[in-house]
Amino acid sequence: METLVLILDLVGTFVFALSGAMLGVRRRLDIFGVLVLSFIAATAGGITRDLLIGATPPAALSDWRYPVTSLAAGVVTFFRASLIEKLHHPVRLFDAMGLALFAVAGTQKALEYGISPPMAAAMGMLTGIGGGIARDLLLAQVPLVLRAELYAVAALAGALVVAVGHWLALPMVPCAVVGAAFCFGLRMMAVTYGWHLPVALQSGGDGEPPGPLK
């Protein structure tokens, strides 16, 4: 199971780094900016999770495979962005893949450190959304998790599958696969069909009835 968690972490690191690097390329950042953004997008969630569960130093800072994986994704994207762009909606696709893999791996790692299943699911969700929040804040935009279709909800759903499977003493590998697939599928369905949670309302300044925030 430790090997599975490592594989999920590294794959999630790579696809989240691609997502961050693609946004950097689209914002016309230089190569240093693209690499920084790819590293932050790929590791911020895992670093936060490890600090909260007491897994110090965080794996992203103590294991060379994490920074090498994220920086390699950044270099590939910077010099071959046109190839990445040929994929259908590449940023959203990579983001959904990273979200699913990180949510599952984050939950499993928290469970291995003795965290209760409900809190482990919360740690899995944080692992999934942390990198995206840090990435968006670096780009001076409202984090996607706060404004888009079922982002955190999808991460929590995938994490809950793993947590419930652990609670029921089910095999963890099938639970991890199902959790990742559920999270990815829910996120992509939300993107495709525009599913979202209710948005906050504000009152009109001239006596108009409240309307959704733009």
Side-chain angles (χ1 to χ4, degrees):
M1 183 52 64
E2 183 178 350
T3 301
L4 174 64
V5 172
L6 176 62
I7 292 173
L8 291 177
D9 252 355
L10 291 176
V11 174
T13 296
F14 186 78
V15 296
F16 257 12
L18 286 177
S19 172
M22 278 301 304
L23 287 179
V25 169
R26 289 180 172 180
R27 292 294 186 91
R28 301 186 62 82
L29 301 183
D30 62 21
I31 187 170
F32 180 77
V34 170
L35 293 180
V36 168
L37 202 61
S38 67
F39 178 76
I40 293 298
T43 61
I47 290 173
T48 304
R49 171 205 63 205
D50 287 353
L51 291 176
L52 289 175
I53 68 176
T56 55
L61 301 179
S62 61
D63 189 331
W64 62 269
R65 288 171 290 194
Y66 290 92
V68 167
T69 299
S70 63
L71 295 178
V75 170
V76 169
T77 303
F78 184 83
F79 289 105
R80 292 292 184 268
S82 60
L83 296 179
I84 306 298
E85 283 284 9
K86 290 181 180 179
L87 297 176
H88 182 61
H89 299 306
V91 171
R92 284 182 171 176
L93 177 64
F94 294 143
D95 203 65
M97 292 172 61
L99 182 71
L101 293 169
F102 270 29
V104 168
T107 304
Q108 183 57 43
K109 186 168 184 177
L111 290 169
E112 291 179 353
Y113 273 76
I115 306 299
S116 66
M119 289 306 300
M123 292 297 100
M125 180 184 68
L126 180 62
T127 306
I129 67 178
I133 290 176
R135 174 200 66 201
D136 291 349
L137 290 176
L138 282 176
L139 292 174
Q141 63 186 30
V142 177
L144 184 68
V145 65
L146 302 180
R147 58 184 169 84
E149 308 92 339
L150 305 186
Y151 196 80
V153 172
L156 181 59
L160 283 173
V161 171
V162 178
V164 171
H166 175 82
W167 181 61
L168 296 175
L170 298 177
M172 280 293 98
V173 173
C175 288
V177 173
V178 172
F182 187 44
C183 175
F184 177 79
L186 181 58
R187 173 64 185 146
M188 293 308 296
M189 290 288 285
V191 170
T192 302
Y193 296 105
W195 296 347
H196 58 80
L197 297 177
V199 299
L201 301 178
Q202 63 180 359
S203 59
D206 54 0
E208 296 179 355
L213 293 171
K214 301 297 184 183

